[in-house]
Amino acid sequence: MTIKYQEELSLAVQAARKAGRLINNKLYRHQVTETKSCLSDLVTEVDREAESCIVQLLKQHFPGHAIIGEEQQGNCTGEPGGNMTWYVDPLDGTTNFVFGVPFCAVSIALAEDGVPVLGVVHDPLREETFTALQGGGARLNGSTINVDKTIATLEHSLLVTGYPGNIANRPRMHQVNYTQVLDCCNNLRALGSAALELAYVAGGRLTGFWEVALRPWDVAAGMVLVQEADGTVSNLAGQPLQLAEDVDIVATNGLIHQELLTCLTG
Ligand code: IPD
Ligand code: CA
Ligand code: CA
Protein backbone atom coordinates (compact mmCIF):
# COMPACT_ATOMS: atom_id res chain seq x y z
CA MET A 1 0.00 0.00 0.00
CA THR A 2 1.35 3.44 -0.95
CA ILE A 3 1.54 5.77 2.01
CA LYS A 4 0.37 9.24 0.98
CA TYR A 5 1.41 12.62 2.35
CA GLN A 6 5.13 11.95 3.00
CA GLU A 7 6.06 15.42 1.70
CA GLU A 8 3.39 17.05 3.87
CA LEU A 9 4.70 15.11 6.87
CA SER A 10 8.27 16.26 6.47
CA LEU A 11 7.11 19.87 6.10
CA ALA A 12 4.87 19.56 9.16
CA VAL A 13 7.79 18.19 11.19
CA GLN A 14 9.97 21.06 9.99
CA ALA A 15 7.28 23.59 10.95
CA ALA A 16 6.67 21.99 14.37
CA ARG A 17 10.40 21.99 15.18
CA LYS A 18 10.77 25.61 14.08
CA ALA A 19 7.85 26.64 16.32
CA GLY A 20 9.32 24.43 19.05
CA ARG A 21 12.55 26.42 19.02
CA LEU A 22 10.53 29.62 19.59
CA ILE A 23 8.80 27.97 22.56
CA ASN A 24 12.08 26.70 24.00
CA ASN A 25 13.72 30.11 23.75
CA LYS A 26 10.84 31.80 25.54
CA LEU A 27 10.14 29.31 28.34
CA TYR A 28 10.46 31.34 31.59
CA ARG A 29 11.02 34.44 29.41
CA HIS A 30 7.72 35.20 27.67
CA GLN A 31 6.48 38.77 28.04
CA VAL A 32 2.78 38.96 27.29
CA THR A 33 0.01 36.96 28.93
CA GLU A 34 -3.54 37.83 27.89
CA THR A 35 -6.86 36.15 28.47
CA LYS A 36 -9.23 34.99 25.74
CA SER A 37 -12.70 33.63 26.58
CA CYS A 38 -12.21 33.88 30.36
CA LEU A 39 -9.58 34.37 33.09
CA SER A 40 -8.30 30.80 32.79
CA ASP A 41 -8.07 30.81 28.97
CA LEU A 42 -4.57 32.20 28.41
CA VAL A 43 -2.55 33.25 25.38
CA THR A 44 0.99 34.65 25.07
CA GLU A 45 3.02 36.27 22.31
CA VAL A 46 4.69 32.87 21.89
CA ASP A 47 1.40 31.16 20.91
CA ARG A 48 0.90 33.83 18.23
CA GLU A 49 4.47 33.87 16.93
CA ALA A 50 4.60 30.06 16.77
CA GLU A 51 1.31 29.92 14.88
CA SER A 52 2.41 32.58 12.36
CA CYS A 53 5.62 30.69 11.72
CA ILE A 54 3.77 27.41 11.09
CA VAL A 55 1.02 28.97 8.96
CA GLN A 56 3.57 30.82 6.83
CA LEU A 57 5.44 27.60 6.02
CA LEU A 58 2.26 25.64 5.27
CA LYS A 59 0.85 28.39 3.04
CA GLN A 60 4.10 28.69 1.13
CA HIS A 61 4.32 24.96 0.37
CA PHE A 62 0.64 24.03 0.10
CA PRO A 63 -1.16 27.13 -1.19
CA GLY A 64 -4.31 25.17 -2.08
CA HIS A 65 -4.85 23.84 1.45
CA ALA A 66 -7.06 25.38 4.13
CA ILE A 67 -5.49 26.10 7.56
CA ILE A 68 -7.39 26.27 10.82
CA GLY A 69 -5.26 27.59 13.68
CA GLU A 70 -6.23 28.16 17.27
CA GLU A 71 -5.01 31.73 17.48
CA GLN A 72 -6.99 32.82 14.44
CA GLN A 73 -10.02 31.89 16.57
CA GLY A 74 -10.58 28.85 14.39
CA ASN A 75 -10.99 31.03 11.28
CA CYS A 76 -9.67 29.50 8.12
CA THR A 77 -6.73 30.93 6.23
CA GLY A 78 -5.44 29.54 2.96
CA GLU A 79 -7.97 28.13 0.53
CA PRO A 80 -11.28 27.36 2.28
CA GLY A 81 -13.54 24.86 0.58
CA GLY A 82 -10.81 22.49 -0.59
CA ASN A 83 -10.73 18.92 0.71
CA MET A 84 -7.39 19.29 2.53
CA THR A 85 -7.33 21.15 5.87
CA TRP A 86 -4.49 21.66 8.32
CA TYR A 87 -5.28 21.92 12.05
CA VAL A 88 -2.64 23.84 14.00
CA ASP A 89 -2.25 24.18 17.75
CA PRO A 90 1.02 26.13 17.99
CA LEU A 91 1.36 25.69 21.74
CA ASP A 92 -0.77 23.05 23.42
CA GLY A 93 -0.35 23.51 27.16
CA THR A 94 -0.27 27.30 27.34
CA THR A 95 -1.23 27.31 31.02
CA ASN A 96 1.74 25.06 31.81
CA PHE A 97 3.97 27.33 29.72
CA VAL A 98 2.78 30.48 31.51
CA PHE A 99 3.28 28.95 34.96
CA GLY A 100 6.65 27.44 34.01
CA VAL A 101 5.58 23.79 34.08
CA PRO A 102 7.70 22.14 31.37
CA PHE A 103 5.01 20.10 29.60
CA CYS A 104 3.67 21.44 26.31
CA ALA A 105 3.72 20.64 22.60
CA VAL A 106 3.21 21.83 19.05
CA SER A 107 0.41 19.95 17.33
CA ILE A 108 -0.12 19.87 13.55
CA ALA A 109 -2.54 17.64 11.65
CA LEU A 110 -3.75 17.34 8.08
CA ALA A 111 -7.29 16.15 7.36
CA GLU A 112 -8.62 14.89 4.04
CA ASP A 113 -12.38 15.42 3.69
CA GLY A 114 -12.59 15.90 7.46
CA VAL A 115 -10.65 12.74 8.33
CA PRO A 116 -7.24 13.30 9.97
CA VAL A 117 -4.58 11.50 7.93
CA LEU A 118 -1.34 12.99 9.25
CA GLY A 119 -0.33 13.94 12.79
CA VAL A 120 2.73 15.59 14.32
CA VAL A 121 3.03 16.27 18.03
CA HIS A 122 6.37 17.80 18.92
CA ASP A 123 7.61 18.23 22.50
CA PRO A 124 10.23 20.97 22.20
CA LEU A 125 11.48 20.58 25.76
CA ARG A 126 12.39 16.90 25.41
CA GLU A 127 13.12 16.97 21.67
CA GLU A 128 10.50 14.27 21.12
CA THR A 129 8.65 14.31 17.80
CA PHE A 130 5.69 11.94 17.49
CA THR A 131 4.51 11.42 13.90
CA ALA A 132 1.89 9.33 12.11
CA LEU A 133 0.54 8.89 8.62
CA GLN A 134 -2.70 7.03 7.91
CA GLY A 135 -1.77 3.44 7.11
CA GLY A 136 1.90 4.08 7.90
CA GLY A 137 2.10 3.48 11.65
CA ALA A 138 3.21 5.87 14.38
CA ARG A 139 6.75 6.90 15.27
CA LEU A 140 8.71 8.69 17.96
CA ASN A 141 11.84 10.36 16.57
CA GLY A 142 11.66 7.91 13.67
CA SER A 143 11.21 4.68 15.67
CA THR A 144 7.93 2.78 15.57
CA ILE A 145 5.71 3.11 18.63
CA ASN A 146 2.65 1.22 19.79
CA VAL A 147 0.07 1.52 22.53
CA ASP A 148 0.68 -0.65 25.59
CA LYS A 149 -1.08 -3.96 24.89
CA THR A 150 0.13 -5.56 28.13
CA ILE A 151 -2.69 -3.89 30.10
CA ALA A 152 -6.23 -5.17 29.65
CA THR A 153 -8.11 -3.83 32.67
CA LEU A 154 -8.79 -0.44 34.19
CA GLU A 155 -7.41 -1.52 37.55
CA HIS A 156 -3.98 -1.83 35.94
CA SER A 157 -4.29 1.34 33.83
CA LEU A 158 -2.60 4.70 34.24
CA LEU A 159 -5.12 7.15 32.79
CA VAL A 160 -4.97 10.84 31.98
CA THR A 161 -7.60 13.54 31.58
CA GLY A 162 -7.81 17.32 31.31
CA TYR A 163 -9.87 20.19 32.62
CA PRO A 164 -11.42 22.59 30.11
CA GLY A 165 -9.55 25.90 29.80
CA ASN A 166 -12.82 27.76 29.37
CA ILE A 167 -14.59 27.63 32.75
CA ALA A 168 -17.96 27.72 30.99
CA ASN A 169 -17.23 24.12 29.95
CA ARG A 170 -16.37 22.87 33.44
CA PRO A 171 -19.96 21.76 34.24
CA ARG A 172 -19.72 19.44 31.21
CA MET A 173 -16.69 17.82 32.79
CA HIS A 174 -18.94 16.73 35.66
CA GLN A 175 -21.29 14.94 33.27
CA VAL A 176 -18.78 12.12 33.09
CA ASN A 177 -18.27 9.92 36.11
CA TYR A 178 -14.60 10.57 36.70
CA THR A 179 -14.81 9.74 40.41
CA GLN A 180 -15.99 6.25 39.43
CA VAL A 181 -13.04 5.99 37.00
CA LEU A 182 -10.67 7.11 39.73
CA ASP A 183 -11.99 4.36 42.00
CA CYS A 184 -11.45 1.74 39.26
CA CYS A 185 -8.06 2.59 37.72
CA ASN A 186 -4.48 2.26 38.92
CA ASN A 187 -4.23 6.06 38.91
CA LEU A 188 -5.22 9.21 37.07
CA ARG A 189 -3.13 12.14 35.83
CA ALA A 190 -3.92 15.56 34.30
CA LEU A 191 -0.74 16.77 32.60
CA GLY A 192 -2.12 19.85 30.81
CA SER A 193 -1.50 19.17 27.12
CA ALA A 194 -4.15 17.09 25.37
CA ALA A 195 -1.99 16.63 22.26
CA LEU A 196 0.99 15.36 24.22
CA GLU A 197 -1.21 13.17 26.43
CA LEU A 198 -2.58 11.52 23.29
CA ALA A 199 0.98 11.05 22.03
CA TYR A 200 1.85 9.37 25.34
CA VAL A 201 -1.08 6.96 24.90
CA ALA A 202 0.23 6.19 21.40
CA GLY A 203 3.69 5.57 22.82
CA GLY A 204 2.42 3.23 25.56
CA ARG A 205 3.40 5.55 28.44
CA LEU A 206 -0.25 6.07 29.43
CA THR A 207 -3.06 3.56 28.96
CA GLY A 208 -5.97 5.86 28.17
CA PHE A 209 -7.16 9.45 27.92
CA TRP A 210 -10.47 11.26 27.94
CA GLU A 211 -11.54 14.88 27.92
CA VAL A 212 -14.69 16.84 27.09
CA ALA A 213 -15.09 20.15 25.25
CA LEU A 214 -11.82 20.07 23.34
CA ARG A 215 -11.34 21.82 19.98
CA PRO A 216 -10.32 20.09 16.73
CA TRP A 217 -6.70 21.39 16.84
CA ASP A 218 -6.26 19.83 20.32
CA VAL A 219 -7.02 16.31 19.11
CA ALA A 220 -6.55 15.98 15.33
CA ALA A 221 -2.85 15.02 15.39
CA GLY A 222 -3.11 12.88 18.53
CA MET A 223 -6.04 10.94 17.03
CA VAL A 224 -3.91 9.79 14.09
CA LEU A 225 -1.07 8.89 16.45
CA VAL A 226 -3.26 6.69 18.68
CA GLN A 227 -5.03 5.01 15.76
CA GLU A 228 -1.77 4.30 13.94
CA ALA A 229 -0.21 2.98 17.16
CA ASP A 230 -3.00 0.34 17.20
CA GLY A 231 -5.12 2.12 19.80
CA THR A 232 -8.81 3.08 19.73
CA VAL A 233 -10.32 6.57 19.51
CA SER A 234 -14.02 7.37 19.90
CA ASN A 235 -16.50 9.80 21.38
CA LEU A 236 -18.11 9.10 24.77
CA ALA A 237 -20.77 6.95 23.10
CA GLY A 238 -18.10 4.74 21.55
CA GLN A 239 -18.78 6.06 18.04
CA PRO A 240 -16.12 7.24 15.58
CA LEU A 241 -14.83 10.69 16.50
CA GLN A 242 -15.78 13.57 14.19
CA LEU A 243 -13.54 16.65 14.04
CA ALA A 244 -16.34 18.97 15.18
CA GLU A 245 -16.05 22.40 16.79
CA ASP A 246 -16.48 20.82 20.16
CA VAL A 247 -14.98 17.39 20.78
CA ASP A 248 -15.45 14.83 23.55
CA ILE A 249 -12.76 12.19 23.15
CA VAL A 250 -11.81 8.83 24.61
CA ALA A 251 -8.52 7.31 23.39
CA THR A 252 -7.03 4.11 24.75
CA ASN A 253 -4.88 1.08 24.03
CA GLY A 254 -8.08 -0.56 22.73
CA LEU A 255 -8.18 -3.31 25.37
CA ILE A 256 -9.61 -1.08 28.11
CA HIS A 257 -11.77 1.05 25.80
CA GLN A 258 -15.18 -0.45 26.55
CA GLU A 259 -14.50 -0.69 30.29
CA LEU A 260 -13.47 2.99 30.37
CA LEU A 261 -16.54 4.07 28.34
CA THR A 262 -18.84 2.14 30.65
CA CYS A 263 -17.20 3.61 33.73
CA LEU A 264 -17.31 7.20 32.38
CA THR A 265 -20.93 7.08 31.35
CA GLY A 266 -22.24 4.80 34.11
C1 IPD B 1 -5.51 23.09 26.39
C2 IPD B 1 -4.72 21.84 26.72
C3 IPD B 1 -5.24 21.25 28.01
C4 IPD B 1 -6.71 20.94 27.95
C5 IPD B 1 -7.49 22.20 27.58
C6 IPD B 1 -6.97 22.78 26.27
P1 IPD B 1 -4.21 25.06 25.08
O1 IPD B 1 -5.06 23.65 25.16
O2 IPD B 1 -4.82 20.88 25.70
O3 IPD B 1 -4.60 20.01 28.29
O4 IPD B 1 -7.14 20.45 29.19
O5 IPD B 1 -8.82 21.86 27.45
O6 IPD B 1 -7.68 23.95 25.97
O7 IPD B 1 -5.19 26.14 25.41
O8 IPD B 1 -3.11 24.98 26.04
O9 IPD B 1 -3.81 25.07 23.65
CA1 CA C 1 -4.80 23.18 22.77
CA1 CA D 1 -2.87 26.31 22.11
Side-chain angles (χ1 to χ4, degrees), residues 73-153:
Q73 307 296 316
N75 288 324
C76 190
T77 56
E79 204 56 52
N83 68 329
M84 304 305 296
T85 305
W86 292 93
Y87 288 91
V88 177
D89 191 335
L91 203 181
D92 187 55
T94 299
T95 303
N96 281 347
F97 179 81
V98 167
F99 282 82
V101 177
F103 194 86
C104 60
V106 182
S107 179
I108 303 178
L110 178 64
E112 181 181 355
D113 295 322
V115 178
V117 290
L118 172 164
V120 175
V121 174
H122 174 61
D123 173 350
L125 308 171
R126 294 171 189 78
E127 299 271 358
E128 290 192 323
T129 311
F130 297 84
T131 57
L133 279 178
Q134 191 180 55
R139 293 187 163 73
L140 165 56
N141 291 345
S143 302
T144 299
I145 51 170
N146 282 295
V147 294
D148 183 356
K149 292 285 186 187
T150 66
I151 294 176
T153 59

Side-chain angles (χ1 to χ4, degrees), residues 36 47 70-71 89-94 217-218:
K36 293 194 281 187
D47 299 67
E70 177 176 14
E71 304 315 332
D89 191 335
L91 203 181
D92 187 55
T94 299
W217 46 79
D218 295 314

